Amino acid sequence: MWAIARMELKKTVQDKGLWFWTFILPIVFIVAFVAIFSGEENASYQEIVTQIIPGYTIMFAFFIMISMVIVFVKDRERGMVARIASTPISVYQYFFGKWVPFMILVLVQIAVLFSFGVIVNDLPLGDPLALLVLSLALAFIVTGWGMAMAVIVKTENMGIALTQVLALGGALLGGLWMPVEFMPEFVQTISQSLPQYWALQGYKDILLSGSDITDIWINLLFLIVAGAGGMGLALLFYPRFLGHSRS
């Protein structure tokens, strides 16, 4: 199990393209949109940075699902899944070994982007414990859904397309690009069914209002339950995934 995790983490660190999508591009977006909207008269600078920085952090966190799909599909096509299944390693150990490196990567991504916001944009952090727990919950749902998609989809292209729908569609409807309050009422209703909405509102409550864990428990519960649902789907569809693996 830990050998799988170490191998996957090593491959992740060596993937320069992944580092670009995970860190460089989000920072470019944050800098650009803070500069564009910093002159907005109807909102304070603090309100702008607490909307944009967490918003784009959440959006780009979902793109880790593309990397997860690619890794699992390659393992299936190369027969790695079938070979591992013939060893004493259980499906839970296999999933855990694959899941841990991506969980770490998302947490590092969140830490880097928020640190950038603190240093460059004076982003307030609020309660550190609440911020850490919410970030863990965000990383859990992103990787949980990534595991499910990686096992369910048949091709890399299908996984990439679905990830873009989830990431960009969720960003639009979940209020990551603009405050939900500015949207029509029916869109606001849809937003409340999306994890992006609950993650962003949790971050804004912590950063702007100084909320602690007890104040954002609903946000945490939604993200954790949704992430557990993704993990459950991954386990449910694993036999079919294994059946399609090359021997």
Side-chain angles (χ1 to χ4, degrees):
M1 177 178 66
W2 292 112
I4 295 174
R6 287 193 296 269
M7 180 180 66
E8 200 60 53
L9 185 60
K10 183 178 179 180
K11 289 193 298 183
T12 300
V13 171
Q14 294 174 344
D15 187 348
K16 295 181 181 179
L18 182 60
W19 288 95
F20 173 79
W21 288 98
T22 305
F23 300 107
I24 299 176
L25 191 61
I27 288 175
V28 171
F29 269 72
I30 288 171
V31 170
F33 281 91
V34 169
I36 291 171
F37 290 102
S38 59
E40 180 67 38
E41 297 179 356
N42 297 325
S44 67
Y45 181 77
Q46 190 177 62
E47 290 175 333
I48 291 171
V49 297
T50 51
Q51 167 69 33
I52 292 175
I53 295 174
Y56 280 102
T57 298
I58 295 167
M59 185 184 80
F60 279 98
F62 273 83
F63 280 99
I64 196 66
M65 291 191 291
I66 292 178
S67 298
M68 298 181 75
V69 167
I70 292 173
V71 165
F72 274 81
V73 170
K74 284 183 177 178
D75 277 2
R76 185 190 66 199
E77 295 300 319
R78 293 171 179 172
M80 181 65 70
V81 177
R83 288 197 294 272
I84 290 176
S86 65
T87 69
I89 297 176
S90 69
V91 59
Y92 301 102
Q93 291 173 318
Y94 170 69
F95 275 155
F96 188 80
K98 287 290 187 180
W99 169 72
V100 167
F102 291 105
M103 186 77 175
I104 293 173
L105 181 60
V106 175
L107 290 173
V108 171
Q109 179 188 39
I110 295 170
V112 169
L113 297 183
F114 271 72
S115 298
F116 178 84
V118 171
I119 296 171
V120 177
N121 305 112
D122 295 323
L123 178 73
L125 288 181
D127 182 62
L129 181 59
L131 195 63
L132 173 61
V133 174
L134 183 59
S135 297
L136 285 168
L138 172 61
F140 179 64
I141 183 177
V142 169
T143 53
W145 283 19
M147 295 284 282
M149 187 179 299
V151 172
I152 293 172
V153 299
K154 295 182 178 180
T155 65
E156 291 183 12
N157 289 337
M158 182 185 296
I160 292 171
L162 288 175
T163 297
Q164 290 176 338
V165 171
L166 287 173
L168 299 179
L172 174 62
L173 299 176
L176 304 187
W177 292 348
M178 68 175 66
V180 174
E181 295 78 14
F182 296 165
M183 300 180 182
E185 289 188 9
F186 76 94
V187 176
Q188 295 184 35
T189 302
I190 295 173
S191 297
Q192 296 180 25
S193 65
L194 300 174
Q196 287 93 335
Y197 168 85
W198 291 101
L200 179 61
Q201 295 306 312
Y203 277 126
K204 291 174 73 173
D205 287 344
I206 295 170
L207 303 181
L208 282 175
S209 305
S211 299
D212 57 24
I213 293 177
T214 60
D215 298 314
I216 61 167
W217 70 270
I218 295 180
N219 308 67
L220 294 172
L221 180 63
F222 186 99
L223 296 176
I224 292 170
V225 170
M231 289 291 189
L233 284 174
L235 291 171
L236 180 65
F237 280 86
Y238 176 77
R240 192 192 73 170
F241 175 74
L242 176 60
H244 291 159
S245 175
R246 291 184 180 178
S247 60

